[in-house]
Amino acid sequence: MARYRVQNPATGQVVETFDADSDERIDRAITDADTAYREWRQRSIQERAGIVRRVAELFTERKTGLARIITEEMGKPLGEAVEEVEFAASIIDYYAVYGPSLATDVEIPSTVPGKAVIERRPVGPLLGVMPWNFPYYQVARFAAPNLVLGNTVLLKHADICPRSSQAIQAIMEEAGVPAGAYTNLYATHDQIATIIADPRVQGVSLTGSERAGAIIGEQAGRHLKKAVLELGGNDPMVVLSADDVAAVAKDGWDFRVYNGGQVCNSNKRMIVMDDIYDEFVAELAALADGLVPGDPLDMPERSYGPLSSRAAAEQVDEQVRRAVAEGATLVAGGVLADDDSAYFSPAVLTDVSRESSIFGEEIFGPVAVVVKVSSDEEALEVANDTAFGLGGCVFAADEARAVAVASRLEVGMTHVNIVAAEAAELPFGGVKRSGFGREMGPLGMDEFVNKRFFFVAK
């Protein structure tokens, strides 16, 4: 099967294939990115931001067409796909509007006579390796701040996203991003290593699996390149108490099954206090029962879309079956389609032992794992019992109680009485095996930048 392809996960049908780039094309793209960088960095940051703002406008103008592309590529329901394009446009616009002020020079006091300034300067061409679960959003949060800063971008997207990645480059070019400053690549794994090794490339950002992060991180380290790695998560949702258990359960379920459960910072473990546990599980089961497969282009009520691929659905199915074999209870859902499609019905799992193999794994699909606890300390212990550290949240009727527990979560993003706060201005990233570095918000402007010290003596 061709590496780059559009394969409709609702049917399993391969719609279109794309050839991987030649080594010559890869080298030319690096050369063009380096050449463009030397011109792009000389423009004022206000001019660069104006061009990036036009990118945001084009995303908004074409949101329906862009959304339909990813619905066919990776199965995202059309309504969610439109939301993603709108979110991507808001991120791009955020950096176009606020980027210049976030990258201003800062004068610092000095005991040495003279003027001491910290500048924020671009560093050069960067490689982005992006995943399939949010084809536009992931690119936006990497490319937008770096283009505003004056860096140039080489973008290797997921193998199943060749049309959406192509569409992004077309928008960049139409908006006025100069040739070579943003280049979509259909690169092989060996070519990714070649790009990272090239001395003209100054850094790499990857969003993906632990395995991919380890490989990219090793390659970046070997060549002394800056890397940002946003990897997996096994985020806890801790529910200590609730005035309305059904409402909290609905919030948790809606976020857990969003995008087919294929969200890095999804609430993959729901840790619930024993006095409300049975009611909470019953609410989840009611939400999961009776769902039917739906056409992602026209999703009726009480339906669910496919996962990104048949392989992805089979992986989730294997994890659920293994959990049950190790003593877990499948309360609802968990049915894999018996055809070539990628449908897997949203599931509720309980009685997952902390000693089972599945407890420490990320389930990248619509599976709510619910764990019963009997104290705040036990809830915190279970929440932090993971190699991951992306995000987490704590719910309680008593806000102070929730804050006390949330403040001790070993994560990069912690929340109280909301599953996840997400907006263009809010930073995103984790700790432990969830990676390092930050995207979004002010911190997204501060990764691939030369914080140059500039001193003028008096």
Side-chain angles (χ1 to χ4, degrees):
M1 182 180 293
R3 176 180 295 276
Y4 286 88
R5 66 198 179 280
V6 176
Q7 185 171 11
N8 189 336
T11 64
Q13 178 187 5
V14 176
V15 178
E16 186 177 6
T17 61
F18 295 74
D19 293 331
D21 288 329
S22 65
D23 291 345
E24 291 74 19
R25 202 256 168 169
I26 295 293
D27 184 69
R28 185 169 64 253
I30 298 172
T31 298
D32 291 346
D34 185 56
T35 300
Y37 164 65
R38 300 183 187 285
E39 186 272 328
W40 183 238
R41 68 180 179 181
Q42 296 302 322
R43 302 194 192 190
S44 71
I45 194 169
Q46 289 78 15
E47 180 182 355
R48 294 193 299 263
I51 292 172
V52 170
R53 191 161 206 197
R54 180 57 184 154
V55 173
E57 292 171 350
L58 291 173
F59 263 77
T60 299
E61 291 170 11
R62 298 173 188 177
K63 63 183 179 182
T64 302
L66 292 171
R68 293 184 72 89
I69 292 173
I70 59 175
T71 294
E72 186 170 35
E73 282 183 335
M74 50 74 63
K76 192 186 299 284
L78 185 60
E80 293 183 14
V82 171
E83 290 175 357
E84 181 187 335
V85 179
E86 292 173 340
F87 194 12
S90 73
I91 293 166
I92 297 167
D93 189 69
Y94 170 83
Y95 286 110
V97 173
Y98 296 102
S101 63
L102 294 173
T104 54
D105 298 346
V106 177
E107 186 173 354
I108 59 174
S110 171
T111 58
V112 179
K115 182 178 181 181
V117 176
I118 304 297
E119 301 177 317
R120 283 175 166 78
R121 307 288 296 168
V123 294
L126 305 171
L127 172 65
V129 182
M130 297 292 112
W132 46 259
N133 59 331
F134 289 94
Y136 300 119
Y137 158 72
Q138 298 284 0
V139 173
R141 67 189 203 175
F142 164 64
N146 284 301
L147 287 172
V148 172
L149 279 167
N151 297 319
T152 55
V153 172
L154 299 162
L155 201 293
K156 189 278 178 203
H157 218 313
D159 300 353
I160 63 172
C161 296
R163 284 184 181 166
S164 54
S165 60
Q166 200 175 61
I168 295 170
Q169 174 160 339
I171 285 176
M172 293 285 182
E173 292 174 350
E174 184 173 340
V177 176
Y182 183 98
T183 304
N184 176 53
L185 300 174
Y186 297 142
T188 65
H189 293 157
D190 288 343
Q191 288 170 336
I192 292 172
T194 298
I195 296 168
I196 293 172
D198 194 291
R200 294 168 293 184
V201 176
Q202 299 302 307
V204 56
S205 177
L206 171 130
T207 298
S209 67
E210 284 182 273
R211 179 176 177 274
I215 293 170
I216 294 296
E218 180 183 7
Q219 292 171 349
R222 187 184 312 138
H223 298 287
L224 302 178
K225 304 291 177 70
K226 171 67 181 289
V228 168
L229 302 178
E230 196 273 277
L231 309 179
N234 200 2
D235 291 14
M237 175 186 178
V238 178
V239 185
L240 304 175
S241 67
D243 292 329
D244 187 341
V245 174
V248 176
K250 177 85 165 49
D251 285 347
W253 177 256
D254 287 348
F255 196 69
R256 184 65 190 100
V257 300
Y258 189 80
N259 197 36
Q262 301 163 126
V263 181
C264 297
N265 63 321
S266 181
N267 49 328
K268 299 184 177 79
R269 295 175 299 144
M270 302 185 191
I271 302 163
V272 183
M273 202 61 65
D274 52 6
D275 60 338
I276 58 172
Y277 175 85
D278 289 343
E279 182 182 356
F280 191 93
V281 171
E283 292 292 340
L284 294 181
L287 291 166
D289 282 337
L291 297 177
V292 296
D295 180 353
L297 284 171
D298 184 19
M299 293 282 288
E301 290 291 325
R302 302 290 295 160
S303 66
Y304 61 92
L307 273 66
S308 64
S309 67
R310 179 68 185 186
E314 290 176 350
Q315 169 67 18
V316 173
D317 182 62
E318 185 279 326
Q319 289 176 295
V320 170
R321 290 176 181 273
R322 178 157 40 90
V324 171
E326 294 176 345
T329 300
L330 181 60
V331 176
V335 178
L336 177 67
D338 59 5
D339 53 22
D340 293 331
S341 73
Y343 286 96
F344 181 86
S345 62
V348 179
L349 270 181
T350 62
D351 306 316
V352 177
S353 167
R354 290 171 66 183
E355 287 68 46
S356 66
S357 64
I358 202 67
F359 184 83
E361 294 182 12
E362 176 181 33
I363 302 180
F364 211 60
V367 180
V369 174
V370 196
V371 181
K372 183 192 295 185
V373 293
S374 58
S375 70
D376 292 12
E377 283 300 317
E378 184 185 6
L380 184 65
E381 181 186 352
V382 173
N384 287 334
D385 185 13
T386 175
F388 295 99
L390 189 54
C393 60
V394 181
F395 283 75
D398 179 353
E399 183 180 293
R401 181 185 179 191
V403 168
V405 173
S407 66
R408 296 167 65 192
L409 291 179
E410 298 168 356
V411 297
M413 303 175 288
T414 186
H415 305 79
V416 170
N417 289 333
I418 184 172
V419 181
E422 296 183 299
E425 69 275 9
L426 302 179
F428 192 103
V431 296
K432 300 196 284 188
R433 294 190 70 84
S434 290
F436 44 79
R438 294 292 183 270
E439 294 181 307
M440 308 273 279
L443 301 186
M445 290 286 291
D446 236 17
E447 291 291 347
F448 296 102
V449 61
N450 175 11
K451 297 171 187 174
R452 187 171 69 178
F453 169 56
F454 196 103
F455 191 87
V456 178
K458 289 185 179 176

